[in-house]
Amino acid sequence: MKQNKVFYAIVRTVFKIFLRVYNRISITWQQKFDANGENFIVACNHASNMDPVIVGCFFPRRLRYFAKEELFKFAPFRLAIESLGAVPVSRENNASAAGALRGFMKLYEDGNDVLIFPEGGRSLDGKLQPLEAGVAVIASHTHAPILPVFIKGSFAAMPPGSALIKPKKIRVIFGEPLRFPDEVYKTKNGRNVIMAELSKRFSEFESQFEGK
């Protein structure tokens, strides 16, 4: 979809206002963001259909990400998520891990920030699930920095299967970017190193939110 900057700005502003008022969302950045800097692989935990909208609203640049084609059937919602960077993908295409990874790499290499959910799907209990290695594969091929993001509260606000959003508080942390030396990208064990560090960051974020 060709970006309409005005429509994008309007949609983003409307969602931001809704999330700040209805869900009392709070955003924390661990490192100042350079809007003119390098592109990122934005890696986020996933417990709700709200997650891509949340990250798409509060990440300073327009993200690109794949979303299941069912979400595009309702025209107003389709226009909204398309403006925030969503690219429809069929169940058949999504089932092909290699195809999905190639798609993400193409989006990044075309100069986009890309959003990926390393758990592979939404958590059914709101807790962090084991991470899949796709994000490490993309990073190894592109040498892209990974920006870890963690959302707390979206599961309570809109768990899988729910069609309504509840007025539950949502908190988001944009962490410090993960960068690795070239040796990590080149070694056989490099992907394990990348995933171990990303898992560690996510676990730290999850622990930080516990009891709050």
Side-chain angles (χ1 to χ4, degrees):
M1 177 183 177
K2 186 177 180 180
Q3 182 178 2
N4 182 317
K5 293 183 178 180
V6 174
F7 186 65
Y8 164 65
I10 292 172
V11 169
R12 192 168 178 234
T13 299
V14 169
F15 273 110
K16 272 187 170 183
I17 293 172
F18 174 84
L19 289 164
R20 289 195 184 281
V21 174
Y22 190 73
N23 293 108
R24 309 181 310 282
I25 195 166
S26 64
I27 308 296
T28 300
W29 284 86
Q30 293 187 331
Q31 181 173 303
K32 185 177 179 180
F33 184 84
D34 181 2
N36 298 313
E38 60 197 331
N39 291 114
F40 290 103
I41 298 171
V42 180
C44 183
N45 67 311
H46 195 20
S48 171
N49 278 336
M50 295 180 70
D51 298 334
V53 174
I54 291 168
V55 183
C57 283
F58 291 97
F59 184 77
R61 295 190 294 247
R62 186 175 185 246
L63 286 165
R64 304 308 305 277
Y65 62 95
F66 291 113
K68 56 187 179 182
E69 60 185 359
E70 294 95 316
L71 297 177
F72 292 77
K73 291 181 179 179
F74 183 53
F77 191 66
R78 182 188 72 239
L79 289 172
I81 61 176
E82 280 183 342
S83 72
L84 293 174
V87 178
V89 60
S90 68
R91 289 183 181 275
E92 292 76 16
N93 290 337
N94 196 41
S96 170
L101 292 177
R102 285 195 297 271
F104 275 113
M105 283 187 272
K106 179 68 164 57
L107 288 173
Y108 181 82
E109 289 167 351
D110 285 345
N112 298 288
D113 297 286
V114 297
L115 171 62
I116 187 169
F117 298 102
E119 291 165 280
R122 285 176 296 169
S123 169
L124 299 179
D125 59 7
K127 296 180 181 179
L128 185 64
Q129 307 300 302
L131 306 187
E132 298 180 358
V135 63
V137 174
I138 300 169
S140 294
H141 278 81
T142 61
H143 292 202
I146 300 171
L147 182 69
V149 181
F150 199 88
I151 300 173
K152 178 67 175 180
S154 62
F155 179 84
M158 190 181 185
S162 175
L164 299 175
I165 299 174
K166 300 175 184 178
K168 300 292 186 179
K169 182 173 178 57
I170 295 173
R171 289 158 294 192
V172 185
I173 292 179
F174 287 86
E176 295 182 12
L178 301 178
R179 296 181 176 87
F180 301 91
D182 287 344
E183 308 85 74
V184 171
Y185 298 124
K186 294 176 182 178
T187 61
K188 292 182 179 180
N189 192 48
R191 294 175 187 174
N192 293 332
V193 172
I194 294 171
M195 293 312 300
E197 185 59 31
L198 182 59
S199 296
K200 178 184 175 183
R201 290 288 185 91
F202 276 3
S203 295
E204 289 172 350
F205 294 151
E206 188 174 45
S207 297
Q208 185 173 332
F209 281 130
E210 284 182 358
K212 294 184 179 181

